[in-house]
Amino acid sequence: MVVGLALVGILGYLVVNVFVGVVVLSLESTVAIGVGAGVLAVLGIGAGVVLLGLRRSWSVGLGLGLMIGWGLASIVSAGFCTGLNPEMYT
């Protein structure tokens, strides 16, 4: 159950990441990039920690999935998808 929900969390985060990325890039503003990066970090890490704190089997899997999704998106895209790359702000 935990592994299945972790996969759901990863895929769910990636879907939200694509949506936020399209919105942020359409605005063409460094402020929008910063706000988008903050939203994605709060969603991936913040919600993941809160769900882990609930200590239920479904919430642990989903929380881990959100955090893993944020980490994978950051590593694979060199920080472009999550707003961590400093070149985006110049």
Side-chain angles (χ1 to χ4, degrees):
M1 181 178 208
V2 173
V3 174
L5 281 169
L7 292 174
V8 169
I10 291 170
L11 292 175
Y13 178 80
L14 293 177
V15 168
V16 171
N17 194 350
V18 168
F19 176 73
V20 170
V22 168
V23 170
V24 165
L25 292 177
S26 69
L27 294 175
E28 297 179 4
S29 169
T30 57
V31 174
I33 293 172
V35 170
V39 167
L40 289 173
V42 167
L43 175 71
I45 303 299
V49 169
V50 169
L51 286 170
L52 280 176
L54 293 177
R55 294 191 176 216
R56 292 189 169 71
S57 60
W58 64 269
S59 67
V60 170
L62 196 57
L64 284 173
L66 288 173
M67 292 190 291
I68 291 168
W70 184 84
L72 282 175
S74 297
I75 291 169
V76 171
S77 70
F80 281 106
C81 286
T82 54
L84 295 177
N85 195 322
E87 291 181 12
M88 297 177 69
Y89 299 99
T90 58

